[in-house]
Amino acid sequence: MLTRILAALGVGVWCIFILLVSVAFVIDRGLADVGIVWVAVLGMGVAAPVLLLRQINCTIAAHEE
């Protein structure tokens, strides 16, 4: 259980970092008015972490059995 909590916290911190860096990059490059860029940022900031956390949970569950 503790391993899953630590994994979720680690993934959460990493996702917040990537999201903030992505937003700063988009604003710095002047791409704030391009819609597809925001779709990509949300994809990296939401979809990828969910998939990563799912994979981590499956790995931990297999190890616990």
Side-chain angles (χ1 to χ4, degrees):
M1 181 69 171
L2 180 62
T3 307
R4 290 181 189 215
I5 292 170
L6 291 176
L9 288 174
V11 169
V13 169
W14 177 251
C15 294
I16 289 171
F17 172 75
I18 293 297
L19 186 63
L20 291 176
V21 169
S22 299
V23 169
F25 180 80
V26 167
I27 291 171
D28 182 52
R29 300 292 179 192
L31 300 171
D33 58 342
V34 180
I36 194 71
V37 172
W38 291 112
V39 171
V41 167
L42 288 177
M44 288 186 304
V46 176
V50 168
L51 294 174
L52 178 62
L53 194 55
R54 181 172 177 246
Q55 184 64 34
I56 289 171
N57 280 331
C58 288
T59 304
I60 292 170
H63 181 22
E64 288 176 347
E65 291 178 3

